[in-house]
Amino acid sequence: MNKMPMELTHAQWGECMSLPGMGYTRICHLMESYVNQEPKGDYDGFLVWLRSGAYRKANLQPRVCPQSVMERLVRGLEALPKYREELKKTEERGIRVITLADQDYPDSFRYLADPPPILYVIGKLPNEVNIKSSIAMVGARLCSEYGRYVARNYGAFFGEHGIGVISGMADGIDAISQNAAMLRGGYSLGILGCGVDICYPTSNRALYERLIHEGGVMSEVPPGTEPKKGYFPLRNRLISALADAVLIVEARKRSGTLITADCALEQGKDVFAVPGRLNEALSAGCNRLIYQGAGIALSPEQVLEDLYGRGKEDSETYEQLSFETEEADFLAEDVCVPPKTLAVLIEEALSLVPKNPEELYREVIPLTPEDITFPMFIRELQKLVLDGTAARVAGNYIRRSPT
Amino acid sequence: MFVTVSSAALSGFDAYIVGVEVDASPGLPMFELVGYVSSAVKEARERVRVAVRNAGYRIDPTRITVNLSPANIRKDGPGFDLPIAIGILQAQERIQREACEGILFLGELGLDGTLKPITGVLPIVMEAARRGFRTVILPFENLYEGQCVEGIRLFGASSLTEVIEYLMGKESLRQELERQKTEILRLLPRTSRKKEEEPDFGQVYGQEALKRCAVIAAAGFHHLLIYGAPGAGKSLSARCMTSILPPLTGKESLEVSKIQSICGCFDATEGLAKHRPFLSPHHTSTPFSFTGGGSIPKPGTLSRAHRGILFLDEFPLFSRETLELLREPLSDKNVNVARVNGVYSFPAAFLLVAAMNPCPCGFYPDRNRCRCTPGEIRKYLSRVSGPILDRIDMHIPVAAVEYAAIKKQGETTDSSTMQEQVIRARKMQERRFAGTEILFNGELSPTKIKEYCVLNAEAMACMEKLYAAMHLSLRSHDKILRVARTIADLEEREEILPEDLLEAAGYQSEELWEVPGNE
């Protein structure tokens, strides 16, 4: 637990943090040195100590506070009045400013090696909402239909069952999961790599609006900051810190998503990954995580059980997230199996990977007893679209998901 | 003395008769050429003067005035050289007037007096025949083209001297000369340029879906959009489509030949055109090249594809302007080019086959290879506008063929089988639309669809379900009916059954344009 060398209001604390080059370590060091020199000093005295150059007399560690940095810092003191004005405006806009010193500050961040000194929040934090816990859901931006289906499923389930979904509001898996949760009346928090008042990417405007009104949006960079590449890995550590566990839905062998998994491991959080086919690049990262010891995510129920429930003793109850099939799980050996109809053969050939009709045709005709022409085939295929078993994506056919 | 010699010129798609009026009167020697002529025509003065001298005749030093009538239509091209020369000789009484009656003259003169070929001969000879001329004297190389027209005598001369000889001779000499020329033509060795092997669907392995769509498209004249990853055989299949369209009728062949003649690319050695044109312009084509033009308009790409296939590969990469030009021919079957002196109309009834990728890299929705963001995909697809898509009745996705299919040779449907099916379906349409202006199912407008594509109760119920399940629009609804009508015709069935609708619905890909977002 970090203790402040001085008692500051959150406004004063915020001011310090806004100074150029000021980070958590540096601030503490400076304040300690100041307090050593002037045990009774207060915040204003601290500022004077800095401005007047009196700090040079204190024994500052050159590593922590090198000369050049200090000079820049002192010059930055000029900008303080402007900062105070900005802060007022921010608060007027309904953006909450929460500092390390505040009660509201999420406890899970305090344990980080580099906790964000100031947080900007619109909406509600997880501990202010009636949810049991939260799970982070992250994944590839350019996801597949399979990833879309899984993310939607889990997001919806969590939303319905009082589990918050924390993510980064990025395209693809992030946004799909968050949308799914919110559309079912659940709670979601988006941690951004830009200022909380900026909606990035712009294609997620609708989600952003939902989050600021019914969920929450958070950032450690000040409002108005444009998104920058460097901010995204940083906010990933916050995503994993705030959640109880991290669920990776789809990730390539080398991807930004795996950074979040690393952060989670460093923070001692549970990591779950959704398995996938061996020839799908988007499942390579997830499968690898499972190999390295991450939990396997077979269904939302199972993930929650693993996290909060009895544990893995009753493995028969874990059913894979699957489609409703009425077929019996086994066939008695002496029962005569009738040849499958074309419709059934086609249905079995469909999967969550989009397939060209020509491809499907080639897969199915070796299995049919009679000659099936292409027109006959496509009619059956379209019948499956009619009754909801199949869906079309860019001219290809996939198995339709129940949700 | 004043004489008139007949010639002809092109105006857009047709030819018209030009009266070459020549007057030779006393006065300071000069040679005046008028009649709204272009500078290219004006050059005739130099050529004619020298050619006549080199043919062994003299032009008297008189005041010569030549007028090309009607004088309000702009004339271009070197084809007036011969009639002007003959006119001058006639005006100077070196040739008798009666000798030139009922004859149309045509051809460019070289300085040595040889007669050189010109373009656009076919429509000109057609017009001459129509207007009752007895004979056409034209350059020998153009004799092939001229012979495509029945009912008119032709003399294919090689030089001015031969023409004069012909004119001065009696009827028997004339016939003998004509016959000689025809004989020479017949004995000429055929040029070794054999028509390239027309691609046949038998060379395309697998691709049953594409072949089926090709048959339906050809049968009912439905414009087709093929989309899929690169290398799937879209180009080859489009090329093969000419081989399954029914053979050209006489009327169609004449139209195609005329257009080729005007463009100067009519190979008449085998008579009128026998193969349907296949045009595949590059996507950097300018709008001008599509419509055709020039001050005396010549046909552009769209018209050159008349009665054939226009294949537009990389469809979204064509400029918006160029694609917009497709609207007119797709609905009216012709291209209108407006000029100061009038609107010229060229026929352009082609079957459009468009090919495109589903996304800029071409591999969507295979996320193993496609890294296009939804935004990039939408931007790419939006280049194809709604009104053009509305005219395309069928969409089919194709994928690269697997090796197993290539190995399994000998089982592929070939073009002649497919063509038979197409012809059968066409016959059904002929019977159905006899007496109306409609030719094919693909042309049916929404009101006509109600008339000709009647659904029974069962089919209507199926249509309703399809409409709901696939979130169709009204346009797709109409497209499905048209295509289903053709599918039924292919089975020589008057009734449209639910299975026809199901199949037709399979060839609609509206959802291609609905790129999944984050919902």
Side-chain angles (χ1 to χ4, degrees):
Chain A
M1 193 74 162
N2 298 304
K3 200 166 170 293
M4 292 298 103
M6 288 169 58
E7 290 296 319
L8 297 179
T9 65
H10 92 223
Q12 291 166 337
W13 181 244
E15 273 182 18
C16 286
M17 297 284 40
S18 76
L19 293 171
M22 234 1 167
Y24 177 70
T25 331
R26 219 163 259 157
I27 261 229
C28 286
H29 186 64
L30 283 172
M31 284 188 184
E32 275 166 10
S33 313
Y34 174 65
V35 163
N36 278 342
Q37 274 199 315
E38 315 261 347
K40 296 240 182 67
D42 65 352
Y43 181 65
D44 292 321
F46 177 61
L47 290 181
V48 168
W49 179 75
L50 285 172
R51 209 177 275 131
S52 65
Y55 67 87
R56 297 206 192 93
K57 304 235 186 65
N59 281 352
L60 293 175
Q61 285 184 31
R63 271 266 180 90
V64 183
C65 304
Q67 186 66 5
S68 51
V69 171
M70 287 311 298
E71 281 172 14
R72 204 161 60 108
L73 192 109
V74 171
R75 262 178 285 151
L77 286 171
E78 315 288 319
L80 271 184
K82 184 155 178 277
Y83 171 82
R84 285 180 188 139
E85 238 188 80
E86 291 280 329
L87 186 62
K88 237 176 61 155
K89 274 200 246 157
T90 304
E91 286 174 337
E92 278 159 23
R93 282 157 68 194
I95 302 177
R96 295 162 58 185
V97 181
I98 303 177
T99 68
L100 204 46
D102 285 333
Q103 289 281 32
D104 300 353
Y105 191 88
D107 282 333
S108 31
F109 287 172
R110 289 189 207 271
Y111 292 100
L112 290 172
D114 53 347
I118 314 188
L119 292 171
Y120 302 90
V121 177
I122 305 182
K124 307 193 193 63
L125 290 170
N127 56 351
E128 295 159 6
V129 194
N130 185 15
I131 52 173
K132 300 179 196 139
S133 61
S134 347
I135 294 194
M137 287 184 67
V138 292
R141 283 188 169 86
L142 298 180
C143 60
S144 70
E145 280 308 307
Y146 171 65
R148 184 183 306 275
Y149 162 66
V150 172
R152 230 191 257 139
N153 238 283
Y154 277 74
F157 186 90
F158 292 156
E160 272 174 355
H161 289 78
I163 311 283
V165 171
I166 303 184
S167 190
M169 218 184 84
D171 260 335
I173 300 291
D174 285 18
I176 295 171
S177 318
Q178 295 190 275
N179 265 322
M182 306 230 46
L183 288 170
R184 296 295 183 114
Y187 167 78
S188 180
L189 175 74
I191 308 190
L192 312 182
C194 60
V196 278
D197 53 342
I198 297 182
C199 172
Y200 176 82
T202 41
S203 45
N204 287 335
R205 186 91 223 167
L207 173 61
Y208 178 75
E209 294 290 326
R210 261 184 224 124
L211 287 174
I212 55 181
H213 290 115
E214 290 148 32
V217 182
M218 179 198 286
S219 175
E220 69 180 312
V221 296
T225 316
E226 292 290 326
K228 265 220 292 265
K229 234 167 117 160
Y231 295 150
F232 291 92
L234 282 179
R235 61 97 175 211
N236 286 352
R237 85 192 191 289
L238 297 182
I239 292 178
S240 57
L242 202 48
D244 291 332
V246 175
L247 171 62
I248 318 273
V249 177
E250 264 194 330
R252 292 175 199 263
K253 239 183 8 200
R254 273 183 234 167
S255 64
T257 314
L258 296 180
I259 297 180
T260 319
D262 284 341
C263 296
L265 290 174
E266 268 178 45
Q267 296 157 0
K269 302 282 169 120
D270 283 316
V271 175
F272 289 86
V274 177
R277 291 184 167 205
L278 299 178
N279 62 341
E280 295 291 331
L282 281 165
S283 293
C286 292
N287 288 341
R288 180 159 273 274
L289 284 174
I290 295 171
Y291 168 68
Q292 290 169 337
I296 191 169
L298 296 174
S299 73
E301 295 94 332
Q302 168 251 317
V303 169
L304 292 178
E305 284 282 354
D306 279 2
L307 279 175
Y308 314 115
R310 301 166 302 214
K312 284 197 181 149
E313 298 108 21
D314 307 334
S315 43
E316 291 99 53
T317 60
Y318 294 140
E319 268 183 34
Q320 188 168 295
L321 183 66
S322 64
F323 314 94
E324 288 133 35
T325 42
E326 300 293 331
E327 284 166 46
D329 290 322
F330 64 93
L331 286 171
E333 270 157 35
D334 46 353
V335 169
C336 181
V337 182
K340 298 183 177 170
T341 64
L342 182 58
V344 169
L345 285 170
I346 298 179
E347 195 186 326
E348 290 179 352
L350 288 174
S351 73
L352 279 175
V353 174
K355 286 190 188 162
N356 192 280
E358 180 80 33
E359 222 184 299
L360 280 168
Y361 179 61
R362 297 218 163 277
E363 253 185 69
V364 168
I365 34 167
L367 307 170
T368 57
E370 335 88 35
D371 263 332
I372 306 278
T373 63
F374 184 77
M376 291 163 73
F377 171 79
I378 200 166
R379 281 176 208 143
E380 282 304 321
L381 190 47
Q382 284 291 118
K383 278 196 198 147
L384 292 180
V385 172
L386 265 192
D387 68 21
T389 316
R392 291 179 62 123
V393 170
N396 295 356
Y397 291 84
I398 62 171
R399 189 187 279 274
R400 184 196 285 276
S401 43
T403 48
Chain B
M1 204 172 118
F2 170 82
V3 298
T4 312
V5 170
S6 297
S7 187
L10 285 175
S11 170
F13 190 52
D14 293 304
Y16 63 99
I17 305 296
V18 170
V20 179
E21 303 171 345
V22 183
D23 177 275
S25 15
L28 278 177
M30 62 181 300
F31 191 155
E32 198 61 79
L33 179 49
V34 298
Y36 198 2
V37 292
S38 72
S39 18
V41 182
K42 283 230 168 98
E43 290 174 353
R45 284 183 298 185
E46 317 307 323
R47 289 194 293 267
V48 167
R49 213 202 295 270
V50 176
V52 168
R53 189 154 35 86
N54 283 341
Y57 294 84
R58 248 190 52 186
I59 298 190
D60 297 333
T62 51
R63 187 196 180 94
I64 300 177
T65 315
V66 176
N67 175 38
L68 300 186
S69 161
N72 66 338
I73 304 180
R74 205 188 137 101
K75 299 173 197 63
D76 199 359
F80 299 112
D81 290 358
L82 179 62
I84 292 174
I86 300 294
I88 293 176
L89 290 171
Q90 235 190 28
Q92 301 193 327
E93 294 177 29
R94 295 218 165 59
I95 307 179
Q96 287 175 325
R97 190 192 292 231
E98 299 77 36
C100 305
E101 266 169 29
I103 303 182
L104 192 96
F105 295 86
L106 206 36
E108 177 188 333
L109 285 172
L111 291 181
D112 56 353
T114 49
L115 208 54
K116 302 199 172 171
I118 58 168
T119 60
V121 166
L122 182 56
I124 288 176
V125 175
M126 283 170 69
E127 182 67 9
R130 199 178 71 84
R131 294 285 291 267
F133 282 84
R134 264 188 307 123
T135 318
V136 175
I137 298 184
L138 36 61
F140 178 63
E141 285 92 333
N142 289 131
L143 195 51
Y144 273 126
E145 252 185 86
Q147 283 184 335
C148 295
V149 181
E150 314 260 308
I152 191 166
R153 282 167 64 176
L154 299 168
F155 177 54
S158 314
S159 69
L160 181 56
T161 321
E162 277 185 22
V163 177
I164 297 173
E165 224 177 80
Y166 177 94
L167 290 172
M168 308 252 255
K170 290 215 246 294
E171 181 60 27
S172 49
L173 177 62
R174 291 187 180 188
Q175 284 185 1
E176 176 60 23
L177 287 171
E178 281 170 26
R179 199 192 54 76
Q180 274 176 9
K181 288 293 184 177
T182 323
E183 194 59 25
I184 298 176
L185 206 61
R186 202 175 58 78
L187 293 172
L188 270 181
R190 288 274 185 266
T191 43
S192 53
R193 182 171 59 93
K194 204 166 166 272
K195 182 84 185 184
E196 289 158 20
E197 281 276 328
E198 201 176 45
D200 189 294
F201 268 115
Q203 301 165 346
V204 177
Y205 298 114
Q207 303 291 17
E208 289 307 312
L210 188 49
K211 289 186 186 178
R212 174 67 176 168
C213 282
V215 166
I216 300 175
F221 220 89
H222 302 280
H223 303 297
L224 177 62
L225 172 66
I226 309 177
Y227 61 96
K234 310 195 265 298
S235 246
L236 179 58
S237 306
R239 244 163 253 280
C240 291
M241 280 196 68
T242 46
S243 61
I244 62 171
L245 288 170
L248 286 165
T249 65
K251 178 163 157 303
E252 291 176 337
S253 179
L254 203 55
E255 288 169 5
V256 171
S257 306
K258 264 174 94 172
I259 294 175
Q260 288 179 351
S261 171
I262 300 173
C263 295
C265 51
F266 180 34
D267 176 14
T269 44
E270 306 285 333
L272 288 177
K274 293 204 170 40
H275 300 279
R276 296 203 179 250
F278 175 82
L279 270 298
S280 153
H282 195 258
H283 57 80
T284 49
S285 292
T286 60
F288 187 79
S289 67
F290 259 37
T291 54
S295 51
I296 299 181
K298 278 192 134 86
T301 312
L302 296 179
S303 204
R304 303 223 311 271
H306 177 59
R307 300 289 180 208
I309 305 266
L310 178 68
F311 176 52
L312 299 181
D313 202 357
E314 307 280 7
F315 201 46
L317 298 184
F318 281 82
S319 76
R320 278 264 173 88
E321 235 190 295
T322 317
L323 287 184
E324 284 300 303
L325 293 169
L326 286 172
R327 279 216 237 179
E328 200 188 2
L330 287 179
S331 52
D332 297 334
K333 310 255 182 121
N334 59 26
V335 171
N336 290 316
V337 179
R339 289 287 174 273
V340 167
N341 33 8
V343 177
Y344 296 87
S345 182
F346 291 105
F350 50 79
L351 183 60
L352 173 65
V353 177
M356 61 184 255
N357 295 332
C359 71
C361 77
F363 291 104
Y364 184 77
D366 181 358
R367 278 294 179 209
N368 282 334
R369 293 157 96 169
C370 174
R371 300 286 201 127
C372 303
T373 66
E376 284 168 354
I377 299 177
R378 269 186 219 113
K379 193 155 168 224
Y380 173 81
L381 293 175
S382 71
R383 300 186 61 152
V384 186
S385 79
I388 303 293
L389 279 178
D390 282 343
R391 301 245 173 263
I392 299 182
D393 275 353
M394 298 177 69
H395 311 124
I396 181 77
V398 292
V401 180
E402 301 188 357
Y403 191 66
I406 300 177
K407 277 203 310 190
K408 205 172 74 159
Q409 297 184 23
E411 285 191 33
T412 48
T413 350
D414 69 347
S415 288
S416 51
T417 330
M418 293 165 74
Q419 194 181 41
E420 273 166 31
Q421 296 173 342
V422 170
I423 294 177
R424 268 196 305 239
R426 290 262 175 129
K427 284 211 171 57
M428 293 279 296
Q429 290 170 77
E430 259 173 52
R431 260 175 289 171
R432 182 181 303 127
F433 298 128
T436 67
E437 303 224 324
I438 307 176
L439 291 170
F440 302 109
N441 295 332
E443 302 173 33
L444 292 171
S445 65
T447 30
K448 296 282 182 227
I449 289 177
K450 286 205 188 74
E451 205 185 314
Y452 291 105
C453 307
V454 177
L455 299 176
N456 59 25
E458 204 194 334
M460 230 188 283
C462 178
M463 189 71 214
E464 224 184 288
K465 276 198 268 183
L466 274 171
Y467 199 82
M470 291 177 70
H471 308 292
L472 298 175
S473 67
L474 202 53
R475 287 279 193 193
S476 309
H477 170 269
D478 287 349
K479 288 181 200 186
I480 290 178
L481 284 176
R482 283 195 284 256
V483 175
R485 176 69 272 169
T486 307
I487 294 176
D489 284 347
L490 281 164
E491 318 247 320
E492 296 183 289
R493 218 192 319 119
E494 189 56 42
E495 220 192 342
I496 300 181
L497 299 177
E499 51 199 52
D500 305 327
L501 294 170
L502 283 173
E503 192 183 346
Y507 305 133
Q508 300 299 310
S509 297
E510 261 192 8
E511 83 279 350
L512 189 62
W513 274 264
E514 290 156 27
V515 185
N518 290 324
E519 297 300 312

